[in-house]
Amino acid sequence: MKIAFLGPRGSFSHHVAQAAFPSQDLVPYQNITEVMKAYEAREVDYSVVPVENSIEGSVHETLDYLFHQADIQAVAEIVQPIKQQLLVTDLEKPIEKIFSHPQAIAQGKKYIRQHYPQAAIEVTASTAYAARFVAEHPEKNFAAIAPRTAAAEYGLKVAASDIQEMEENYTRFWILGHEVPELELAKTGDKQTLALTLPDNLPGALYKALSTFAWRGIDLTKIESRPLKTALGEYFFIIDIDNEQKKLADFAYQELTSLGITYKIFGSYSVFLIQDK
């Protein structure tokens, strides 16, 4: 069985794919859209894509492609704690330049300023690429900010652990596929994600849409607007709901249809948490 993920190896996406499918063939792709297209083209059996980070917000490339272009279902969600490490080839060498993705650099900026104020900072496309680049230049006084899995992947040493400023940093990943995989991870709940498109001639359309869930006691865990890409000021709305009461949700969808509100379900799935040590 083949699993697509956002590469290169050693990234958080790679770690999530490993945790979900530890004995399967993991195939890296260069960007999120290619990861999803790989499943559509039946090159792989599942695709693993990031959906939302607790600090940076939603991953628009994922959500927009699923809404505008794809008919793929999320069959599971995995929540990955985001912890950044300072990686080097030699613990004895001074650090003169630090490489990483802009988000990781921002998360570790306080630590870098305190411990390596003279080090130059260079931006890379991903944390995993930064780790690979440092590993390929052992003669240089380079370091990378990257996940611990990147250290194992590229033979680097951890010069400093968990240098991110915010402890409560998590990323949601979806497993896209045709059936629910068996995961040996801690389950934390059940959710459903859908996108609503509101009619132009319905006053209070968003209020009425949300009330179909509210009066049934269905908990909404997220709501976000995204441009419809049809005209300025036109949006669709992404909603996450607690899916413990599936029959009530079905009745809510019937009411949405009667109101002329269209919806697209991105998936009904269980949520799992990776418990990194």
Side-chain angles (χ1 to χ4, degrees), residues 222-238:
K222 172 185 175 177
I223 179 169
E224 177 184 0
S225 63
R226 291 290 301 146
L228 265 175
K229 300 183 180 180
T230 53
L232 187 65
E234 294 185 353
Y235 301 90
F236 68 96
F237 295 86
I238 299 167

Side-chain angles (χ1 to χ4, degrees), residues 57-71:
S58 292
V59 181
H60 296 150
E61 183 178 353
T62 299
L63 296 174
D64 286 354
Y65 187 83
L66 291 175
F67 179 78
H68 291 286
Q69 301 182 58
D71 186 18

Side-chain angles (χ1 to χ4, degrees), residues 3-269:
I3 314 299
F5 70 94
L6 177 62
R9 301 178 69 87
S11 64
F12 284 112
S13 294
H14 182 218
H15 182 50
V16 170
Q18 283 181 316
F21 303 98
S23 60
Q24 304 302 326
D25 183 13
L26 307 182
V27 185
Y29 288 82
Q30 291 187 347
N31 59 61
I32 294 171
T33 299
E34 287 184 5
V35 174
M36 292 185 284
K37 285 184 174 180
Y39 175 76
E40 288 183 301
R42 297 297 183 262
E43 296 174 5
V44 297
D45 299 281
Y46 292 97
S47 287
V48 177
V49 293
V51 179
E52 182 181 25
N53 177 262
S54 58
I55 296 175
E56 301 296 331
S58 292
V59 181
H60 296 150
E61 183 178 353
T62 299
L63 296 174
D64 286 354
Y65 187 83
L66 291 175
F67 179 78
H68 291 286
Q69 301 182 58
D71 186 18
I72 313 175
Q73 289 287 296
V75 293
E77 177 175 295
I78 299 178
V79 180
Q80 166 69 58
I82 303 299
K83 297 180 180 180
Q84 304 288 3
Q85 322 301 321
L86 186 67
L87 307 181
V88 297
T89 57
D90 185 345
L91 294 173
E92 301 300 323
K93 293 171 65 175
I95 296 175
E96 298 177 355
K97 184 176 288 189
I98 299 173
F99 297 80
S100 198
H101 185 273
Q103 290 182 11
I105 291 171
Q107 292 166 11
K109 186 171 291 185
K110 182 177 180 180
Y111 180 90
I112 294 170
R113 285 177 175 172
Q114 183 177 352
H115 294 87
Y116 302 99
Q118 304 305 318
I121 304 296
E122 188 153 331
V123 171
T124 59
S126 71
T127 54
Y129 178 84
R132 187 175 68 185
F133 182 81
V134 169
E136 291 172 348
H137 296 83
E139 76 284 359
K140 302 288 188 178
N141 296 335
F142 290 165
I145 301 174
R148 190 174 296 273
T149 50
E153 184 70 31
Y154 300 111
L156 297 174
K157 297 177 175 61
V158 179
S161 298
D162 300 346
I163 67 171
Q164 70 280 351
E165 293 181 30
M166 301 185 69
E167 288 297 323
E168 295 301 313
N169 187 0
Y170 299 87
T171 297
R172 300 167 56 201
F173 289 82
W174 279 350
I175 297 177
L176 306 176
H178 55 286
E179 60 184 32
V180 180
E182 294 185 9
L183 304 178
E184 296 183 3
L185 297 170
K187 180 180 173 180
T188 61
D190 291 289
K191 289 167 59 179
Q192 192 169 68
T193 299
L194 63 150
L196 301 178
T197 305
L198 307 178
D200 294 332
N201 59 349
L202 180 63
L206 181 58
Y207 168 80
K208 291 176 180 177
L210 298 182
S211 68
T212 63
F213 300 100
W215 75 264
R216 290 182 171 88
I218 300 173
D219 185 23
L220 301 184
T221 59
K222 172 185 175 177
I223 179 169
E224 177 184 0
S225 63
R226 291 290 301 146
L228 265 175
K229 300 183 180 180
T230 53
L232 187 65
E234 294 185 353
Y235 301 90
F236 68 96
F237 295 86
I238 299 167
I239 294 175
D240 287 354
I241 69 171
D242 185 327
N243 201 33
E244 298 289 346
Q245 303 180 70
K246 295 179 176 60
K247 289 186 177 179
L248 289 180
D250 289 339
F251 289 135
Y253 297 150
Q254 292 176 26
E255 185 174 347
L256 288 175
T257 300
S258 69
L259 290 169
I261 299 170
T262 59
Y263 62 90
K264 179 178 183 178
I265 296 177
F266 287 166
S268 301
Y269 49 86

